[in-house]
Amino acid sequence: GEDVEQSLFLSVREGDSSVINCTYTDSSSTYLYWYKQEPGAGLQLLTYIFSNMDMKQDQRLTVLLNKKDKHLSLRIADTQTGDSAIYFCAESVKGSNYQLIWGAGTKLIIKP
Amino acid sequence: ETGVTQSPTHLIKTRGQQVTLRCSSQSGHNTVSWYQQALGQGPQFIFQYYREEENGRGNFPPRFSGLQFPNYSSELNVNALELDDSALYLCASSLGQGANTEAFFGQGTRLTVV
């Protein structure tokens, strides 16, 4: 079956880089996504990567995909207090009406 | 702000009751998906509607049902509420169903079943 796993917490100092990791099991995934959820807010799409790519960069965000190991990471450069949130990894799986399978989320904690 | 609005924002119901949650899609979006997010977990896909027809369903019992209207707004209905139905219910709208189309989420309805 499909499964997406993430660490529950990550603590970094303001100004450092944050790296949030995710592993997934379904090799037929087509797109992989990173969403951000702030308290009391809905889910915000940060970035996504197609499964035939291995890297995507968008300003402070870098996504790395290792398809062989089924490992996805999100790097946030120069982490700021406004980056405090829960980050969800999700995959869309071909053949399932493109429903998203989600991880449990990683809470990013910023230390001053 | 995404333009997707959900109502109500909070709701308390008693076990066995029925509930209807509402979602207004972003203008022009013809696809709506509903998710259940239990505390401390990621969202779980309930179902998706595309142009008023159910287009896919997750692992939820038939007492979870939905509708999409001609203006593409949507309802989620849950019958015979159970304590485990307590969760944040999220609606997401998109233009089309493809995996590369961005889904915009509402802020959710927090349902508490007592």
PDB file of all heavy atoms in Angstrom, chain A residues 13-30:
ATOM      1  N   ARG A  13      18.287  26.806  14.104  1.00  0.00           N
ATOM      2  CA  ARG A  13      18.524  28.192  14.527  1.00  0.00           C
ATOM      3  C   ARG A  13      18.165  29.138  13.377  1.00  0.00           C
ATOM      4  O   ARG A  13      18.370  28.817  12.197  1.00  0.00           O
ATOM      5  CB  ARG A  13      19.987  28.389  14.903  1.00  0.00           C
ATOM      6  CG  ARG A  13      20.368  27.654  16.163  1.00  0.00           C
ATOM      7  CD  ARG A  13      21.612  28.269  16.811  1.00  0.00           C
ATOM      8  NE  ARG A  13      21.935  27.546  18.035  1.00  0.00           N
ATOM      9  CZ  ARG A  13      21.335  27.769  19.195  1.00  0.00           C
ATOM     10  NH1 ARG A  13      20.406  28.689  19.299  1.00  0.00           N
ATOM     11  NH2 ARG A  13      21.674  27.069  20.269  1.00  0.00           N
ATOM     12  N   GLU A  14      17.647  30.293  13.745  1.00  0.00           N
ATOM     13  CA  GLU A  14      17.324  31.320  12.759  1.00  0.00           C
ATOM     14  C   GLU A  14      18.575  31.626  11.940  1.00  0.00           C
ATOM     15  O   GLU A  14      19.668  31.787  12.482  1.00  0.00           O
ATOM     16  CB  GLU A  14      16.849  32.585  13.483  1.00  0.00           C
ATOM     17  CG  GLU A  14      16.235  33.626  12.568  1.00  0.00           C
ATOM     18  CD  GLU A  14      15.663  34.803  13.357  1.00  0.00           C
ATOM     19  OE1 GLU A  14      15.673  34.769  14.595  1.00  0.00           O
ATOM     20  OE2 GLU A  14      15.204  35.759  12.709  1.00  0.00           O
ATOM     21  N   GLY A  15      18.408  31.661  10.624  1.00  0.00           N
ATOM     22  CA  GLY A  15      19.520  31.936   9.726  1.00  0.00           C
ATOM     23  C   GLY A  15      20.178  30.692   9.164  1.00  0.00           C
ATOM     24  O   GLY A  15      20.848  30.760   8.124  1.00  0.00           O
ATOM     25  N   ASP A  16      20.011  29.555   9.847  1.00  0.00           N
ATOM     26  CA  ASP A  16      20.562  28.297   9.333  1.00  0.00           C
ATOM     27  C   ASP A  16      19.650  27.739   8.240  1.00  0.00           C
ATOM     28  O   ASP A  16      18.541  28.232   8.019  1.00  0.00           O
ATOM     29  CB  ASP A  16      20.688  27.272  10.457  1.00  0.00           C
ATOM     30  CG  ASP A  16      21.834  27.582  11.406  1.00  0.00           C
ATOM     31  OD1 ASP A  16      22.617  28.517  11.088  1.00  0.00           O
ATOM     32  OD2 ASP A  16      21.945  26.900  12.441  1.00  0.00           O
ATOM     33  N   SER A  17      20.109  26.680   7.578  1.00  0.00           N
ATOM     34  CA  SER A  17      19.265  25.979   6.610  1.00  0.00           C
ATOM     35  C   SER A  17      18.480  24.880   7.326  1.00  0.00           C
ATOM     36  O   SER A  17      18.992  24.233   8.243  1.00  0.00           O
ATOM     37  CB  SER A  17      20.124  25.350   5.506  1.00  0.00           C
ATOM     38  OG  SER A  17      20.691  26.342   4.701  1.00  0.00           O
ATOM     39  N   SER A  18      17.256  24.675   6.896  1.00  0.00           N
ATOM     40  CA  SER A  18      16.420  23.576   7.397  1.00  0.00           C
ATOM     41  C   SER A  18      16.318  22.529   6.298  1.00  0.00           C
ATOM     42  O   SER A  18      16.116  22.877   5.130  1.00  0.00           O
ATOM     43  CB  SER A  18      15.013  24.076   7.719  1.00  0.00           C
ATOM     44  OG  SER A  18      15.032  25.171   8.593  1.00  0.00           O
ATOM     45  N   VAL A  19      16.434  21.278   6.676  1.00  0.00           N
ATOM     46  CA  VAL A  19      16.237  20.206   5.705  1.00  0.00           C
ATOM     47  C   VAL A  19      15.188  19.248   6.258  1.00  0.00           C
ATOM     48  O   VAL A  19      15.397  18.612   7.296  1.00  0.00           O
ATOM     49  CB  VAL A  19      17.541  19.438   5.412  1.00  0.00           C
ATOM     50  CG1 VAL A  19      17.265  18.321   4.397  1.00  0.00           C
ATOM     51  CG2 VAL A  19      18.607  20.391   4.867  1.00  0.00           C
ATOM     52  N   ILE A  20      14.068  19.181   5.598  1.00  0.00           N
ATOM     53  CA  ILE A  20      12.961  18.320   6.019  1.00  0.00           C
ATOM     54  C   ILE A  20      12.913  17.135   5.062  1.00  0.00           C
ATOM     55  O   ILE A  20      12.907  17.313   3.840  1.00  0.00           O
ATOM     56  CB  ILE A  20      11.629  19.092   5.985  1.00  0.00           C
ATOM     57  CG1 ILE A  20      11.738  20.342   6.872  1.00  0.00           C
ATOM     58  CG2 ILE A  20      10.480  18.203   6.445  1.00  0.00           C
ATOM     59  CD1 ILE A  20      10.570  21.298   6.737  1.00  0.00           C
ATOM     60  N   ASN A  21      12.897  15.933   5.630  1.00  0.00           N
ATOM     61  CA  ASN A  21      12.977  14.716   4.817  1.00  0.00           C
ATOM     62  C   ASN A  21      11.664  13.954   4.794  1.00  0.00           C
ATOM     63  O   ASN A  21      10.850  14.048   5.727  1.00  0.00           O
ATOM     64  CB  ASN A  21      14.075  13.800   5.368  1.00  0.00           C
ATOM     65  CG  ASN A  21      15.449  14.421   5.224  1.00  0.00           C
ATOM     66  OD1 ASN A  21      15.877  14.734   4.125  1.00  0.00           O
ATOM     67  ND2 ASN A  21      16.141  14.615   6.339  1.00  0.00           N
ATOM     68  N   CYS A  22      11.497  13.171   3.749  1.00  0.00           N
ATOM     69  CA  CYS A  22      10.258  12.413   3.542  1.00  0.00           C
ATOM     70  C   CYS A  22      10.609  11.154   2.759  1.00  0.00           C
ATOM     71  O   CYS A  22      11.429  11.205   1.833  1.00  0.00           O
ATOM     72  CB  CYS A  22       9.289  13.301   2.749  1.00  0.00           C
ATOM     73  SG  CYS A  22       7.836  12.496   2.098  1.00  0.00           S
ATOM     74  N   THR A  23      10.008  10.035   3.133  1.00  0.00           N
ATOM     75  CA  THR A  23      10.163   8.820   2.335  1.00  0.00           C
ATOM     76  C   THR A  23       8.776   8.331   1.929  1.00  0.00           C
ATOM     77  O   THR A  23       7.794   8.539   2.650  1.00  0.00           O
ATOM     78  CB  THR A  23      10.894   7.708   3.100  1.00  0.00           C
ATOM     79  OG1 THR A  23      10.179   7.442   4.317  1.00  0.00           O
ATOM     80  CG2 THR A  23      12.310   8.096   3.426  1.00  0.00           C
ATOM     81  N   TYR A  24       8.712   7.723   0.758  1.00  0.00           N
ATOM     82  CA  TYR A  24       7.435   7.225   0.265  1.00  0.00           C
ATOM     83  C   TYR A  24       7.650   5.826  -0.285  1.00  0.00           C
ATOM     84  O   TYR A  24       8.781   5.405  -0.526  1.00  0.00           O
ATOM     85  CB  TYR A  24       6.852   8.172  -0.795  1.00  0.00           C
ATOM     86  CG  TYR A  24       7.739   8.374  -2.002  1.00  0.00           C
ATOM     87  CD1 TYR A  24       7.540   7.654  -3.167  1.00  0.00           C
ATOM     88  CD2 TYR A  24       8.792   9.296  -1.972  1.00  0.00           C
ATOM     89  CE1 TYR A  24       8.356   7.830  -4.272  1.00  0.00           C
ATOM     90  CE2 TYR A  24       9.622   9.478  -3.069  1.00  0.00           C
ATOM     91  CZ  TYR A  24       9.394   8.744  -4.216  1.00  0.00           C
ATOM     92  OH  TYR A  24      10.207   8.927  -5.314  1.00  0.00           O
ATOM     93  N   THR A  25       6.559   5.091  -0.447  1.00  0.00           N
ATOM     94  CA  THR A  25       6.717   3.688  -0.825  1.00  0.00           C
ATOM     95  C   THR A  25       6.245   3.379  -2.240  1.00  0.00           C
ATOM     96  O   THR A  25       6.675   2.392  -2.837  1.00  0.00           O
ATOM     97  CB  THR A  25       5.939   2.773   0.143  1.00  0.00           C
ATOM     98  OG1 THR A  25       4.574   3.184   0.177  1.00  0.00           O
ATOM     99  CG2 THR A  25       6.524   2.855   1.545  1.00  0.00           C
ATOM    100  N   ASP A  26       5.358   4.236  -2.784  1.00  0.00           N
ATOM    101  CA  ASP A  26       4.758   3.883  -4.066  1.00  0.00           C
ATOM    102  C   ASP A  26       5.633   4.358  -5.219  1.00  0.00           C
ATOM    103  O   ASP A  26       5.803   5.554  -5.421  1.00  0.00           O
ATOM    104  CB  ASP A  26       3.365   4.497  -4.174  1.00  0.00           C
ATOM    105  CG  ASP A  26       2.552   3.831  -5.256  1.00  0.00           C
ATOM    106  OD1 ASP A  26       3.082   3.616  -6.365  1.00  0.00           O
ATOM    107  OD2 ASP A  26       1.381   3.521  -4.997  1.00  0.00           O
ATOM    108  N   SER A  27       6.180   3.429  -5.969  1.00  0.00           N
ATOM    109  CA  SER A  27       7.107   3.788  -7.041  1.00  0.00           C
ATOM    110  C   SER A  27       6.393   4.373  -8.249  1.00  0.00           C
ATOM    111  O   SER A  27       7.044   4.887  -9.157  1.00  0.00           O
ATOM    112  CB  SER A  27       7.932   2.569  -7.456  1.00  0.00           C
ATOM    113  OG  SER A  27       7.066   1.530  -7.862  1.00  0.00           O
ATOM    114  N   SER A  28       5.062   4.303  -8.269  1.00  0.00           N
ATOM    115  CA  SER A  28       4.352   4.846  -9.421  1.00  0.00           C
ATOM    116  C   SER A  28       3.915   6.293  -9.200  1.00  0.00           C
ATOM    117  O   SER A  28       3.130   6.831  -9.966  1.00  0.00           O
ATOM    118  CB  SER A  28       3.129   3.992  -9.752  1.00  0.00           C
ATOM    119  OG  SER A  28       2.189   4.056  -8.701  1.00  0.00           O
ATOM    120  N   SER A  29       4.420   6.920  -8.143  1.00  0.00           N
ATOM    121  CA  SER A  29       4.018   8.304  -7.873  1.00  0.00           C
ATOM    122  C   SER A  29       4.426   9.193  -9.045  1.00  0.00           C
ATOM    123  O   SER A  29       5.483   9.002  -9.641  1.00  0.00           O
ATOM    124  CB  SER A  29       4.632   8.818  -6.580  1.00  0.00           C
ATOM    125  OG  SER A  29       6.025   8.810  -6.652  1.00  0.00           O
ATOM    126  N   THR A  30       3.578  10.143  -9.360  1.00  0.00           N
ATOM    127  CA  THR A  30       3.824  11.024 -10.498  1.00  0.00           C
ATOM    128  C   THR A  30       4.358  12.379 -10.064  1.00  0.00           C
ATOM    129  O   THR A  30       5.324  12.885 -10.616  1.00  0.00           O
ATOM    130  CB  THR A  30       2.538  11.212 -11.304  1.00  0.00           C
ATOM    131  OG1 THR A  30       1.498  11.612 -10.412  1.00  0.00           O
ATOM    132  CG2 THR A  30       2.138   9.934 -11.993  1.00  0.00           C
TER     133      THR A  30
END
